[in-house]
Amino acid sequence: MYEDILVPTDGSESMDAVVDHAADIASGRDATVHVLYVIDDRSFLTLQDGMKADVVDELRAEGEAATTSVAGQLEGEGLTVRTEIRKGDPADQVLAYADEAGIDLVVMGTHGADYQQNMLGSVSQKVVTVSDAPVLTVNIAGQG
């Protein structure tokens, strides 16, 4: 049932709980775990053009570190892992990747039911609402 599992990561230490859930589901199913980091380009709106390249390079380095860390944890469990870094709106990129890669399950962290997050719209909320694949959210508020 779950052959391809997507774990979007933001690189925070609180991702350990999400990775543990994904590893538990993937093990014994011969599933491939896809680890995705999205460089949120919405934060570039106020940057001067000359600064954008440096910021993208820094965020790409953070993404490499984040995906490498999660991939290492999953590979340590004997799982097959694919990693990818994209740039754009995080929720849109998670949804696009899930569709393109034929993802069967998305396992992602959420910061809980904070009213400001709900008013502004969180990545996990949009993914849960729009995704064709089932989404398992793991509350990571206060962890890490």
Side-chain angles (χ1 to χ4, degrees), residues 7-21 107-114 117 122-124 136-144:
V7 177
T9 182
D10 63 1
S12 66
E13 290 179 22
S14 58
M15 283 298 300
D16 287 348
V18 176
V19 173
D20 289 346
H21 278 80
V107 181
M108 63 189 306
T110 184
H111 293 283
D114 181 276
Q117 288 254 340
S122 68
V123 174
S124 58
L136 170 63
T137 59
V138 179
N139 187 347
I140 58 174
Q143 295 185 26

Side-chain angles (χ1 to χ4, degrees), residues 47-82:
L47 287 180
Q48 295 174 355
D49 288 338
M51 296 177 67
K52 288 181 183 177
D54 290 339
V55 172
V56 169
D57 288 345
E58 185 177 320
L59 292 173
R60 182 165 298 282
E62 287 179 20
E64 292 287 344
T67 56
T68 298
S69 174
V70 172
Q73 289 175 290
L74 294 165
E75 289 167 345
E77 298 289 327
L79 298 168
T80 302
V81 181
R82 292 190 182 142

Side-chain angles (χ1 to χ4, degrees), residues 8-11 35-39 59 62-63 66-67 84-86:
T9 182
D10 63 1
V35 181
L36 175 67
Y37 180 91
V38 179
I39 298 169
L59 292 173
E62 287 179 20
T67 56
E84 182 152 343
I85 297 174
R86 292 186 171 198

